[in-house]
Amino acid sequence: MTKLKNMLKKHRRLAGPMALVLAVAAIFWAVNSPAIVGASAAARELPIYYVQRDNKAVALTFDAAWGNEDTQELIDILTSYGVKATFFLVGEWVDKYPESVQALYDAGMELGNHSDDHPHMASLSQKEIMDEISLCSSKIEAVTGGEVSLFRCPYGEYDDDVITTINSMGLYPIQWNVDSLDWKGLSATEIYERVTTKVVPGSIVLFHNAAEHTPEALGDIIQYLLANGYEIVTVSELLLTGEYEIDNNGMMYAASAA
């Protein structure tokens, strides 16, 4: 990068506006080239976006941060197909709707941590990150008596410090590789098409509690997955046991034997 900046200065002195444009283009290409992006990503701390699986397993996940109008409907749909999903709960949501937290737990849904008040985690100090996570987990555990082992960053935002801190607390940082975009108010048909055209073995699919058309789309999505040989599992069931690594795309895979 230093060399490229020096080149840019030289072009400013010697060749005028056209050379400046070309030099800027060269820098843009260099910074965004796959080789450089890949090298940068390799050094990053990443959450788990999806899992390398030999079988067609997939995890459906729901973030619960604000409304509660369709929680029971989602439980009923999932239960009618014998399916368990993972719900990532914000601590303030737990405060408002403890009866729904208990209903999810009683229905066999997996509960994960989605922070206490949905902040931008990368803007927090390490202590603040730990406080957000600890407080939310304690609220979930106080209602259900069960332990929490998964964390999802609000807004999907993170940096190396966030992921390192999550790992240090003994939790798995969980992202997703299929985004339903249900929070944008997409129709049930659009949600269905996004999920069914993007899902692959090992996918983690993102939905939202209280999204307008998610209940309408969910049954058809489950039917599609089951008809196409997918096993729908919780995130914890999807994750690999034993030693693992995460590649540049956020895929969890078994570590090679030494």
Side-chain angles (χ1 to χ4, degrees):
M1 181 60 72
T2 300
K3 182 176 180 180
L4 288 169
K5 288 180 178 178
N6 290 335
M7 289 171 56
L8 180 55
K9 292 178 180 177
K10 181 178 180 181
H11 279 287
R12 282 200 188 103
R13 293 196 310 268
L14 299 181
M18 182 56 67
L20 178 60
V21 170
L22 293 174
V24 170
I27 290 175
F28 180 84
W29 175 88
V31 170
N32 291 279
S33 69
I36 292 177
V37 170
S40 176
R44 294 187 64 196
E45 295 290 336
L46 296 175
I48 299 166
Y49 282 73
Y50 65 113
V51 181
Q52 185 179 61
R53 294 289 299 244
D54 294 330
N55 65 324
K56 295 177 73 173
V58 60
L60 306 182
T61 71
F62 298 80
D63 289 357
W66 292 283
N68 189 43
E69 52 269 27
D70 63 3
T71 305
Q72 189 58 51
E73 185 178 4
L74 294 173
I75 292 173
D76 292 343
I77 294 169
L78 292 163
T79 301
S80 71
Y81 289 98
V83 168
K84 300 294 188 293
T86 302
F87 285 73
F88 288 91
L89 311 181
V90 168
E92 291 182 348
W93 192 90
V94 176
D95 291 336
K96 292 179 181 178
Y97 309 112
E99 71 287 348
S100 292
V101 177
Q102 189 66 56
L104 288 165
Y105 185 77
D106 290 345
M109 305 302 160
E110 181 174 42
L111 304 183
N113 186 321
H114 196 35
S115 80
D116 188 57
D117 60 5
H118 211 265
H120 295 275
M121 300 294 286
S123 68
L124 304 181
S125 67
Q126 185 182 58
K127 182 181 183 305
E128 290 170 330
I129 294 169
M130 296 179 76
D131 287 347
E132 279 284 334
I133 295 171
S134 297
L135 186 53
C136 179
S137 287
S138 67
K139 290 178 178 180
I140 296 171
E141 292 167 4
V143 174
T144 66
E147 294 185 359
V148 177
S149 62
L150 310 174
F151 180 82
R152 172 171 282 165
C153 293
Y155 312 104
E157 295 178 3
Y158 60 88
D159 61 14
D160 287 359
D161 289 339
V162 172
I163 301 305
T164 299
T165 302
I166 297 166
N167 286 326
S168 75
M169 297 179 72
L171 279 72
Y172 290 98
I174 304 299
Q175 198 82 338
W176 60 85
N177 73 317
V178 179
D179 190 347
S180 69
L181 294 182
D182 56 355
W183 60 274
K184 287 189 171 183
L186 299 186
S187 69
T189 298
E190 290 171 318
I191 294 169
Y192 173 87
E193 290 177 351
R194 281 193 59 84
V195 174
T196 58
T197 58
K198 295 177 182 298
V199 70
V200 296
S203 279
I204 298 174
V205 184
L206 172 64
F207 298 101
H208 291 81
N209 184 65
E212 184 178 3
H213 298 293
T214 299
E216 183 184 352
L218 183 58
D220 288 341
I221 290 170
I222 292 172
Q223 290 182 43
Y224 170 88
L225 293 171
L226 296 176
N228 283 273
Y230 281 94
E231 178 187 5
I232 301 172
V233 299
T234 65
V235 170
S236 288
E237 292 170 332
L238 185 72
L239 299 180
L240 303 177
T241 58
E243 295 296 319
Y244 69 89
E245 297 179 12
I246 299 175
D247 73 7
N248 293 347
N249 296 311
M251 183 185 72
M252 180 190 208
Y253 64 99
S256 302

